[in-house]
């Protein structure tokens, strides 16, 4: 009984260490797996573990968005492209070690080490239980999103539209528009021709 | 007792791993995965600081980061498909037509 009580009191800590470790293991697997498909599945592990960390931070709406957008859209897009390209095993399996990669490992380690003093200097306080029970719910985040941050939110929609157009244009390269008759084109042709006649002699 | 520092440590480690993936892998799809991991690490920082400081602006920013990551992934994957159509490979070291 006492064990159960201490366990339930320490449950957030246990969950944190479990899922933080799981997210790091997934990231290491993304690094080490040669097959992109295995790497993509490892990335699902990382993304879902990070969603659990958001829940522990009582950011419920962000956790749901993380699961839907990353695990549901981005990783599926990755897997779709990996299947579509159907990379040969020879190309996937090759592993080269160059001087640049040794330098890369050094740079990544240096960035990690240089971040640690900043982490050490961070305030230790994290409120165990937020004062407001609706903290991080869809309602409160949405109210802020459509109130104070309305303009950035609307700009985001333009960003997505631009990305969508770019995706369509890039993926489908040889779009040759059918020449349809339009009066505007005819008038423009006529004007340009007369313009050319004026200049040519 | 989990404090802000633990979350920041996890985020720093994830960021370093993402950077390592970006620099280490030759496959363009894997590099994109590394970039997504780095964005996720930044998101953990946003949400952790939002919880620590008691404001919700960090969570709204995390939402914007998620949206930007989705848009970026869509465009980057279109570029990778185009690169595969032109070069027959997704190895970034083969894409050196502009090299010298």
């Amino acid at each position: 009984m006492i064990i159960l009580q201490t366990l339930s009191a320490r449950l957030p800590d246990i969950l944190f260490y479990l899922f933080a470790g799981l997210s790091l293991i997934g990231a290491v697997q993304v690094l080490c797996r040669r097959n992109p498909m295995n790497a993509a599945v490892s990335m699902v592990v990382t993304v879902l573990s990070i969603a659990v960390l958001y829940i522990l931070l009582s950011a419920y709406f962000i956790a749901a968005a993380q699961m839907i957008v990353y695990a549901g859209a981005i990783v599926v897009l990755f897997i779709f492209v990996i299947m579509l390209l159907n990379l040969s095993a020879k190309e996937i399996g090759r592993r080269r070690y160059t001087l640049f990669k040794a330098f890369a490992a050094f740079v990544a380690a240096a960035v990690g080490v240089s971040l640690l003093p900043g982490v050490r200097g961070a305030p230790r306080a994290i409120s165990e239980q937020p004062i407001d029970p609706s903290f991080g719910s869809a309602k409160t985040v949405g109210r802020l999103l459509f109130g104070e941050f309305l303009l950035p939110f609307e700009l985001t929609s333009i960003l997505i539209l631009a990305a969508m157009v770019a995706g369509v244009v890039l993926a489908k390269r040889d779009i040759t528009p059918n020449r349809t008759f339009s009066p505007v084109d005819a008038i423009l042709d006529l004007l340009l021709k007369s313009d050319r006649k004026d200049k040519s002699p | 007792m989990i404090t802000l520092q633990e979350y920041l440590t996890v985020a720093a480690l994830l960021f370093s791993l993402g950077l390592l993936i970006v620099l280490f892998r030759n496959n363009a799809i894997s590099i994109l995965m590394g970039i997504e991991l780095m964005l996720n690490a930044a998101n953990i920082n946003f949400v952790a600081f939002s919880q620590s400081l008691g404001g919700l602006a960090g969570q709204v920013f995390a939402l914007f980061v998620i949206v930007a990551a989705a848009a970026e992934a869509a465009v980057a994957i279109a570029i990778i498909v185009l690169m595969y159509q032109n070069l027959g490979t997704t190895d970034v070291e083969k894409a050196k037509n502009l090299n010298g």
Side-chain angles (χ1 to χ4, degrees):
Chain A
M1 194 64 194
I2 295 168
I3 294 171
L4 212 64
Q5 271 180 353
T6 49
L7 200 68
S8 67
R10 308 260 316 157
L11 193 59
D13 295 13
I14 295 167
L15 283 177
F16 171 80
Y17 284 116
L18 183 65
F19 283 100
L22 212 55
S23 70
L24 290 176
I25 289 170
V28 171
Q29 290 286 315
V30 174
L31 176 65
C32 296
R33 292 279 172 164
R34 294 187 218 177
N35 193 335
M37 189 57 108
N38 292 349
V41 175
S42 308
M43 203 178 136
V44 175
V45 173
T46 304
V47 163
L48 291 182
S49 311
I50 290 171
V52 174
L53 293 187
Y54 290 160
I55 291 174
L56 289 175
L57 283 166
S58 65
Y60 305 108
F61 181 62
I62 303 292
Q66 166 95 358
M67 283 185 199
I68 292 168
V69 174
Y70 271 100
I74 293 180
V75 177
V76 169
L77 202 63
F78 280 140
I79 289 175
F80 185 78
V81 168
I82 292 166
M83 303 280 261
L84 181 74
L85 298 188
N86 196 14
L87 300 173
S88 62
K90 187 187 69 171
E91 187 176 328
I92 294 164
R94 203 168 33 200
R95 181 173 279 182
R96 280 162 297 186
Y97 292 101
T98 55
L99 188 66
F100 175 75
K101 292 203 169 170
F103 183 66
F106 173 73
V107 167
V111 168
V113 168
S114 65
L115 283 175
L116 286 182
V119 170
R120 194 65 59 82
R124 286 195 68 86
I126 192 157
S127 42
E128 185 80 340
Q129 201 69 17
I131 310 109
D132 189 7
S134 68
F135 184 84
S137 69
K139 191 177 174 185
T140 46
V141 175
R143 189 159 283 166
L144 201 61
L145 197 60
F146 286 97
E148 197 180 337
F149 293 97
L150 184 61
L151 181 64
F153 180 73
E154 295 296 338
L155 288 176
T156 302
S157 66
I158 296 175
L159 174 73
I160 294 174
L161 181 68
M164 195 176 77
V165 172
V168 170
V169 169
L170 284 174
K172 195 163 175 60
R173 283 180 66 212
D174 25 282
I175 307 173
T176 45
N178 295 332
R179 291 287 297 187
T180 51
F181 179 77
S182 84
V184 178
D185 278 350
I187 293 167
L188 274 177
D189 277 352
L190 215 64
L191 286 175
L192 289 175
K193 262 180 204 159
S194 62
D195 197 30
R196 223 172 286 150
K197 264 179 201 162
D198 290 345
K199 278 180 186 168
S200 54
Chain B
M1 176 72 185
I2 302 298
T3 61
L4 182 58
Q5 293 186 1
E6 273 81 7
Y7 283 100
L8 295 187
T9 312
V10 171
L13 287 173
L14 266 181
F15 188 87
S16 310
L17 275 170
L19 185 62
L20 199 59
I21 291 167
V22 169
L23 294 174
F24 232 70
R25 302 294 297 255
N26 287 326
N27 196 343
I29 298 170
S30 301
I31 289 175
L32 203 55
M33 284 182 198
I35 294 171
E36 298 294 336
L37 280 182
M38 287 160 80
L39 287 169
N40 260 317
N43 253 351
I44 291 177
N45 272 5
F46 269 129
V47 175
F49 272 112
S50 155
Q51 217 269 2
S52 171
L53 302 176
L56 274 172
Q59 295 193 10
V60 175
F61 265 88
L63 213 57
F64 287 143
V65 171
I66 289 175
V67 170
E72 170 248 330
V75 175
I77 277 182
I79 291 172
I80 289 172
V81 170
L82 206 61
M83 177 181 161
Y84 186 78
Q85 284 174 357
N86 280 329
L87 302 176
T89 175
T90 56
D91 192 337
V92 288
E93 287 182 13
K94 296 275 172 56
K96 51 183 181 184
N97 287 348
L98 284 180
N99 196 353

